[in-house]
Amino acid sequence: MTLSRVQAALDSIGLRNQYLQNFVENQIDDETVEECFSNTALATNLNGIIPIVGHRIKFQKAFMAFPAGLASINNVTLNGSLSNELEPSCNGQVRPLQFSTVASSHPKVAYVNHTEIMDIDCADSELINQEPKPVQIMDFKETGSRSAPSEIVFHESRMQEILNKAKSKRVAVLAIAGPSRKGKSFFLNFVLRYLNSLKTNEKDWMGWTKPQESLKGFTWRNCAERVTTGIWMWSEPFTIKSRNEDVDLLIMDTQGVFDEHTTQREWSILVGLGLLTSSCLIFNILSDLQEDYLQVFDNFLSFGLMALNENDGRTPFQRLVFLIRDWNIPGQYPYGSSGGKRFIEDRLNIKSHHKESHKRVRQQLKDCFEDIGCFLLPHPGENVLALDFDGSATQNEKFAAEIEKCILELMNALKFPLKKINGNFLTGPDVLATFKLYCELFNSEEVPNPESVFEIAAKSCNTIVIKKCIDTFNVEL
């Protein structure tokens, strides 16, 4: 058993005493480590050997810096045991070193991609042990050139940490998108309250009897400047019961679009990623559903139509919900889902005076989604204009009551759609791999064309089917 590169890498980052024996006990040698780093399907083999993400990333960089063929250190044996050794944590406390055992040098693992190696601070490396919080999984990085578009930075290891907590075979993804400074994060925090109440059996999750309880979760504040940048995911999946089986629900918040900070390419990417990777996309807008908003979906609906034609009528997307705030004509269309249903049906009806582009986007919306819904919410009142507004439900009972009804209906576990591609339900690793593929696509093109998006979807679908076949084969063996 040769561990020359492993030992040299651990020595260079000062982690030999913590982790070398883990490699020995689990028969993970230089050749196996090399294979893990060159084959993304085996990357998670090292998760149990070096459980802290930040340490694992430092080790990979150090290992790859040492060439193969270092002086051999064969038949490595270590005196004593590290099982009682303590490792420091970020807050200066100590705790027992824990790691999961890998049974062989080539254990069977779930498919996970690891390509972008990033520097992660201590807070990121221990995300799994922290209190639930929003975590940024995608951002834009300026290239320094006016002519070159910004680059997508996908924080893959952060998303991996979140998905490592998923306990179920299937996942659902709730995402929200829309114009900047219109209350997307604010709304999601009430969703978080409701989902947390399912775990604690808290009846008053809206806070009717707790007027001093501020609204926490995704970062929000009452100001003119934008707060959310990129795409953020809640660090804890929520387990919900859907059709008599447990499902892991992921919550995503996206940067606001159509503002001075966001280019057309960037808002196309933000809306596109939300649409393509979620099973329910909330499009949050103010006052009315303008024609411009419908046209936002046009490019991605063209992809959807391709998928529709190829797959015998299966819809490529699950659910789209228009959340319209500050609704000002409740006399014609009442607040809530009943008025929203009538409104969206009327707005999506194809009329003789519509231009061809208007007719096309309406028909594609109907063809590409299993379900399209709409909720109409009243104005939250003058209290929200105060800079110290904290989201308390009692400050506008009418608005809070409509929020409560909206969330109870929206988050009905029996009706909440699961994420799938071409009829294949996705697992946590599938969601990660698909998200990464789309990030790579959007980095390579100014505005992705429908053919490219369709190719990515087909690739993801094929990967899922192949994995299912392999799993079935192994079970039968």
Side-chain angles (χ1 to χ4, degrees):
M1 179 177 177
T2 303
L3 283 169
S4 54
R5 291 176 73 189
V6 167
Q7 180 173 315
L10 290 173
D11 283 341
S12 70
I13 58 178
L15 297 176
R16 177 182 179 182
N17 289 339
Q18 282 184 240
Y19 297 124
L20 184 56
Q21 187 165 331
N22 296 1
F23 285 89
V24 176
E25 292 177 350
N26 292 282
Q27 299 294 300
I28 303 292
D29 59 10
D30 287 348
E31 182 180 352
T32 304
V33 174
E34 177 74 32
E35 186 175 354
C36 287
F37 288 151
S38 60
N39 185 342
T40 55
L42 299 176
T44 52
N45 288 0
L46 298 181
N47 289 6
I49 307 302
I50 303 179
I52 295 179
V53 177
H55 291 177
R56 199 158 62 240
I57 290 174
K58 289 180 180 179
F59 171 73
Q60 178 171 356
K61 290 183 176 180
F63 182 87
M64 300 305 291
F66 288 101
L70 286 178
S72 296
I73 304 174
N74 294 317
N75 302 318
V76 175
T77 58
L78 298 177
N79 295 324
S81 173
L82 296 179
S83 60
N84 295 322
E85 183 171 339
L86 298 178
E87 63 173 337
S89 69
C90 292
N91 57 15
Q93 299 175 341
V94 292
R95 58 181 180 276
L97 175 66
Q98 298 179 342
F99 58 90
S100 57
T101 301
V102 182
S104 68
S105 61
H106 299 285
K108 180 177 178 293
V109 296
Y111 173 78
V112 181
N113 280 329
H114 288 269
T115 56
E116 185 182 26
I117 303 301
M118 305 173 57
D119 289 327
I120 294 187
D121 60 21
C122 204
D124 285 333
S125 68
E126 297 191 339
L127 172 64
I128 197 167
N129 294 320
Q130 291 184 348
E131 287 295 315
K133 65 176 185 179
V135 175
Q136 189 178 51
I137 60 171
M138 174 270 192
D139 198 7
F140 294 107
K141 178 183 177 182
E142 295 299 328
T143 59
S145 171
R146 291 185 178 181
S147 59
S150 58
E151 295 179 359
I152 293 175
V153 179
F154 174 34
H155 303 289
E156 182 178 357
S157 57
R158 299 177 187 178
M159 189 172 182
Q160 176 69 69
E161 286 287 337
I162 297 170
L163 292 173
N164 282 346
K165 304 175 191 178
K167 302 174 183 178
S168 308
K169 293 183 179 180
R170 296 176 178 177
V171 297
V173 184
L174 173 67
I176 192 166
S180 179
R181 311 302 305 127
K182 298 297 184 289
K184 296 183 296 298
S185 303
F186 178 85
F187 179 80
L188 278 188
N189 287 340
F190 279 108
V191 173
L192 291 178
R193 275 192 180 181
Y194 170 72
L195 292 171
N196 282 317
S197 75
L198 299 180
K199 297 187 293 185
T200 62
N201 292 319
E202 171 64 55
K203 302 301 181 184
D204 183 21
W205 55 272
M206 278 296 297
W208 295 108
T209 61
K210 306 168 187 176
Q212 303 305 319
E213 185 175 353
S214 59
L215 190 61
K216 300 177 181 178
F218 289 98
T219 304
W220 71 279
R221 63 177 178 265
N222 189 22
C223 63
E225 296 77 24
R226 66 176 180 175
V227 177
T228 305
T229 59
I231 296 179
W232 294 68
M233 181 175 283
W234 194 246
S235 62
E236 293 278 355
F238 291 91
T239 301
I240 62 174
K241 184 74 70 174
S242 177
R243 300 173 182 85
N244 295 321
E245 68 172 317
D246 286 342
V247 173
D248 286 306
L249 173 62
L250 305 171
I251 309 294
M252 289 200 313
D253 190 14
T254 67
Q255 173 182 330
V257 296
F258 313 128
D259 63 4
E260 60 181 326
H261 303 286
T262 313
T263 66
Q264 180 179 355
R265 171 181 174 272
E266 288 171 348
W267 63 249
S268 178
I269 288 171
L270 290 165
V271 176
L273 280 173
L275 173 63
L276 295 167
T277 61
S278 69
S279 56
C280 177
L281 176 67
I282 301 174
F283 196 67
N284 182 83
I285 52 181
L286 198 67
S287 300
D288 197 5
L289 178 57
Q290 303 290 342
E291 193 65 35
D292 291 348
Y293 292 146
L294 292 179
Q295 297 302 318
V296 168
F297 296 98
D298 187 47
N299 196 46
F300 297 101
L301 292 176
S302 297
F303 144 72
L305 200 60
M306 292 178 62
L308 186 69
N309 291 338
E310 290 286 335
N311 297 317
D312 301 323
R314 291 175 178 159
T315 54
F317 308 122
Q318 283 76 62
R319 180 189 291 176
L320 174 63
V321 175
F322 291 99
L323 185 64
I324 305 181
R325 318 291 282 268
D326 298 3
W327 184 247
N328 55 16
I329 47 173
Q332 183 177 4
Y333 300 103
Y335 298 128
S337 61
S338 59
K341 184 173 187 274
R342 285 173 44 207
F343 170 77
I344 201 65
E345 287 176 351
D346 289 348
R347 185 53 57 94
L348 295 184
N349 277 341
I350 298 175
K351 301 178 176 63
S352 59
H353 67 269
H354 282 151
K355 298 179 180 179
E356 286 304 314
S357 61
H358 298 170
K359 294 179 181 179
R360 182 181 68 247
V361 73
R362 283 165 168 75
Q363 188 59 52
Q364 289 181 354
L365 279 168
K366 295 175 182 178
D367 291 340
C368 290
F369 285 92
E370 294 178 3
D371 177 54
I372 298 177
C374 179
F375 291 91
L376 307 176
L377 297 180
H379 191 282
E382 293 185 359
N383 287 333
V384 304
L385 302 178
L387 292 177
D388 60 351
F389 175 64
D390 61 1
S392 172
T394 58
Q395 294 194 36
N396 189 316
E397 294 187 1
K398 182 178 182 180
F399 174 75
E402 291 299 335
I403 284 275
E404 184 175 32
K405 288 191 295 183
C406 170
I407 291 175
L408 287 173
E409 186 169 343
L410 175 70
M411 303 308 298
N412 184 337
L414 296 177
K415 298 180 180 179
F416 202 89
L418 309 185
K419 181 58 184 173
K420 56 186 176 181
I421 298 179
N422 190 25
N424 297 288
F425 293 100
L426 270 61
T427 63
D430 296 332
V431 171
L432 176 69
T434 302
F435 196 96
K436 179 185 168 183
L437 287 171
Y438 282 127
C439 284
E440 291 174 348
L441 169 64
F442 293 166
N443 251 342
S444 64
E445 298 188 21
E446 180 65 24
V447 177
N449 60 65
E451 291 78 10
S452 298
V453 177
F454 179 77
E455 183 178 344
I456 293 296
K459 185 175 181 179
S460 296
C461 183
N462 291 340
T463 300
I464 295 167
V465 172
I466 291 171
K467 182 179 179 296
K468 284 184 177 180
C469 292
I470 293 174
D471 290 344
T472 301
F473 178 76
N474 289 332
V475 170
E476 291 182 352
L477 282 180

